[in-house]
Amino acid sequence: MDRYAVIGLGNISKRHRKNLKILHPEAKIYALSASGRKPEEAVEFADEVLITLAALIKSKPKFVIVASPATYHAEHAIPLIEAGIPVLIEKPISASVIDSQKIINAADKYNVPVGIGYCLRYLTSTRFLKEGLGKKIIGDLRNVFIEIGQYLPDWRPAKYYRDSVSAKAELGGGALLELSHELDYAQWLLGSFKPECAILRSSKELDLNVEDSVDILALNNKNTVISIHLDFLQKPAYRRCRLLGSEGSIEWDLINNQVTLIADNKKQLILDGKEADRNQMYLDMLLDFESLIAKEPNTCITAKEAENTILLIDEIKQKALNKKNL
């Protein structure tokens, strides 16, 4: 019988266990708490709950999804890699450059497949936009405006927001790491870029010890000006990107999975994926990782790519003017 495992018991871990059951209904699915505790409540979509990483390694799963807090990713992933077990790590790869490099070094040394779970790359509108930009459908890019905002207390209604991973620096919280999907897709679509200036803020409203609002102004190697805003404050949730080119512009609505082209004074919806099953991008990500393991063609996000996002976050922090209690 095939075996798979997920480390972590949060919402994303539950989704991964459910999706593994969808893809491999006959397989045995293990769950392991990130802290090693034995949960008192039942764990959905898990056939067995293990207590230690050693027990998980002994079970010899085909691969493991590491969905623990980012500060534990290296601690959980590296022993698995050393045991020859492929690992799919939830974004971000880690909370630090040092831990990211440790994971990369282990993967290289033991020649074990490692992928990073930036699932937004598998959204149909993201891939559609990537292809369109490759064909220069709006000419040369001049400006890009990226914005995401969602009110943190609404993220996990069953949990007090200040007790969540997102709110705790020691667990890899803060808008930069928690909302790093935007930094990943920006680099994937636009190439690498350098932050020219940045402002990180912690509002009185949420009273966190991490940044709940980030504003970045950056330039890529083609002198495209990139403006990025991330926050834990907006109601309702907002997630959009606007791209201005020499021959038109694009409005990308990530929540509704839609792409609109504006050219020749006309506005045209060129992709409408609003009714698509949003869980499909998670399924596609797992299937893509399985292709990586099988040494088949794949588009998995590599550990090195994901490290570039951690390096970018470090650069942003160095550029930032930290403003508390604004």
Side-chain angles (χ1 to χ4, degrees):
M1 177 186 292
D2 289 339
R3 299 173 176 86
Y4 303 87
V6 181
I7 299 176
L9 299 178
N11 289 338
I12 190 61
S13 305
K14 177 181 174 181
R15 183 188 288 272
H16 286 315
R17 292 193 304 270
K18 182 178 181 180
N19 284 338
L20 284 169
K21 281 291 186 185
I22 291 171
L23 295 176
H24 304 289
E26 303 301 318
K28 187 169 186 176
I29 309 301
Y30 294 104
L32 176 69
S33 165
S35 63
R37 70 177 177 88
K38 185 172 180 62
E40 295 179 2
E41 67 282 359
V43 178
E44 288 186 89
F45 310 110
D47 298 300
E48 187 176 341
V49 178
L50 301 176
I51 304 302
T52 66
L53 192 58
L56 176 55
I57 291 170
K58 190 175 180 181
S59 73
K60 296 182 179 180
K62 293 195 76 173
F63 67 80
V64 176
I65 300 171
V66 175
S68 51
T71 47
Y72 294 134
H73 283 180
E75 179 183 330
H76 289 142
I78 291 173
L80 293 164
I81 295 167
E82 290 174 344
I85 299 170
V87 177
L88 176 63
I89 303 172
E90 256 300 323
K91 66 82 191 167
I93 182 174
S94 71
S96 71
V97 174
I98 291 173
D99 278 355
S100 301
Q101 194 58 59
K102 286 178 180 177
I103 293 169
I104 291 168
N105 289 344
D108 288 346
K109 180 178 179 180
Y110 293 94
N111 194 28
V112 173
V114 174
I116 312 301
Y118 278 109
C119 61
L120 272 187
R121 290 211 203 174
Y122 296 89
L123 189 65
T124 51
S125 56
T126 313
R127 299 203 159 197
F128 180 84
L129 188 59
K130 173 76 169 175
E131 183 179 349
L133 292 176
K135 295 176 180 177
K136 290 199 167 187
I137 60 171
I138 55 170
D140 295 323
L141 282 179
R142 293 171 174 166
N143 292 78
V144 178
F145 302 90
I146 293 169
E147 182 176 355
I148 178 173
Q150 185 176 6
Y151 191 50
L152 182 59
D154 291 343
W155 282 26
R156 307 170 183 95
K159 191 182 187 82
Y160 180 49
Y161 76 92
R162 294 189 69 189
D163 293 333
S164 69
V165 168
S166 306
K168 295 180 179 292
E170 65 272 20
L171 296 179
L176 276 168
L177 283 169
E178 283 288 84
L179 301 176
S180 63
H181 278 295
E182 267 56 27
L183 301 178
D184 173 72
Y185 85 61
Q187 293 176 102
W188 190 52
L189 295 176
L190 309 171
S192 61
F193 53 85
K194 291 284 186 182
E196 298 296 316
C197 63
I199 299 173
L200 275 57
R201 293 179 288 177
S202 300
S203 68
K204 291 180 181 178
E205 181 179 356
L206 297 184
D207 192 27
L208 305 178
N209 69 349
V210 294
E211 75 282 353
D212 60 22
S213 180
V214 177
D215 288 278
I216 306 155
L217 195 64
L219 281 173
N220 70 3
N221 58 9
K222 295 181 180 178
N223 284 326
T224 303
V225 179
I226 304 161
S227 176
I228 302 173
H229 174 81
L230 320 170
D231 77 58
F232 288 164
L233 302 168
Q234 290 191 60
K235 294 185 282 188
Y238 185 94
R239 197 171 210 170
R240 295 195 177 209
C241 175
R242 180 172 169 82
L243 305 99
L244 309 182
S246 57
E247 298 175 21
S249 61
I250 287 173
E251 293 176 354
W252 177 26
D253 182 339
L254 285 80
I255 292 176
N256 288 313
N257 199 20
Q258 295 174 324
V259 179
T260 301
L261 175 66
I262 300 99
D264 300 322
N265 289 320
K266 295 178 182 177
K267 196 169 185 177
Q268 179 186 2
L269 186 66
I270 56 174
L271 177 74
D272 186 3
K274 189 174 182 178
E275 301 304 320
D277 178 7
R278 201 167 182 86
N279 189 55
Q280 189 61 47
M281 67 178 173
Y282 294 97
L283 292 169
D284 289 344
M285 183 174 71
L286 292 182
L287 291 169
D288 202 28
F289 183 59
E290 292 185 357
S291 294
L292 173 67
I293 294 170
K295 298 182 179 179
E296 296 172 353
N298 66 86
T299 57
C300 276
I301 296 89
T302 66
K304 188 62 183 175
E305 282 181 280
E307 184 196 31
N308 289 337
T309 296
I310 301 303
L311 289 167
L312 176 60
I313 287 172
D314 264 16
E315 278 193 85
I316 290 165
K317 287 180 177 178
Q318 290 170 20
K319 290 282 185 180
L321 300 171
N322 290 282
K323 297 187 176 182
K324 297 288 185 181
N325 299 320
L326 293 183

